[in-house]
Amino acid sequence: MGMAGSWAAPSRPRASLEGDGGGEASVTIRVHPEWAPIGAEHFRDLVERGWYDGARVFRVVPGYVAQFGLPAEARPPAPSIEDDPVRVPNRRGTLAFATAGPNTRADQLFINLKDNLPLDGRGFSPFGEVVGDGMQVVDGFYSGYGEEPDQERITKLGNLYLNKQFPKLSFISRAVVTD
């Protein structure tokens, strides 16, 4: 992991998710490697590889989470990584990898839209948090489709599917490491 760089505690590295308008709707993420070092390094690796560039925020459940991470172009999922222990709670604004069970974190991320403390006991380990006025941007992500977009179709077709069936989805034009 971390081909081009590494985040080591106690530094406070950052990444920026630039939004729909090519930058005027950016979300800054402060990464906390001490919270979840494996997840933090994997996130850095994916950002540096351009994994999230063009990705749609395909699942927004108001009062719960905003999820993204399936790539804009059809491609196999990123490799899974081992779980980090949950060291901090899933509070509003924290960022964690989605899972399908133990040791299945790969590429999908979610931002907690509220305090989701029950997720702590299910192994969702936050590794970063939205800082500044970023939650205003996150709260504005389009939520009209709920959980309707089909993740399997997104994986197979990428934005070809989403742009046609769900054209109002918010998106990340590019993600960059800003430390």
Side-chain angles (χ1 to χ4, degrees):
M1 308 282 152
M3 297 182 302
S6 178
W7 284 332
S11 68
R12 290 287 184 263
R14 294 174 185 253
S16 176
L17 308 176
E18 298 175 358
D20 303 65
E24 60 261 68
S26 292
V27 175
T28 299
I29 305 294
R30 176 173 283 155
V31 179
H32 291 272
E34 72 279 12
W35 292 359
I38 297 168
E41 282 299 315
H42 190 58
F43 175 67
R44 180 184 184 114
D45 182 51
L46 291 171
V47 168
E48 289 177 342
R49 290 174 38 202
W51 189 270
Y52 300 111
D53 296 355
R56 298 318 189 238
V57 182
F58 65 86
R59 178 178 178 234
V60 179
V61 182
Y64 185 51
V65 298
Q67 188 167 335
F68 63 95
L70 292 173
E73 303 287 326
R75 65 171 122 167
S80 294
I81 59 171
E82 290 180 33
D83 291 338
D84 284 298
V86 178
R87 292 186 174 108
V88 298
N90 280 274
R91 296 215 180 274
R92 175 173 162 77
T94 56
L95 179 72
F97 278 96
T99 72
N103 300 311
T104 60
R105 298 183 301 168
D107 46 27
Q108 293 187 49
L109 301 168
F110 64 88
I111 298 170
N112 286 294
L113 300 178
K114 69 168 191 156
D115 290 354
N116 285 316
L117 304 183
L119 296 179
D120 301 347
R122 294 177 46 202
F124 293 96
S125 181
F127 65 86
E129 63 183 326
V130 175
V131 295
D133 60 0
M135 281 308 290
Q136 291 174 327
V137 175
V138 172
D139 288 335
F141 286 160
Y142 185 77
S143 63
Y145 302 124
E147 300 191 57
E148 193 177 340
D150 182 285
Q151 293 184 35
E152 188 173 315
R153 292 190 73 194
I154 300 168
T155 300
K156 289 181 181 175
L157 301 170
N159 288 349
L160 291 175
Y161 161 65
L162 291 175
N163 291 342
K164 183 176 180 184
Q165 300 294 321
F166 305 99
K168 295 180 181 178
L169 289 175
S170 299
F171 66 92
I172 298 161
S173 56
R174 95 187 164 119
V176 295
V177 172
T178 59
D179 65 349

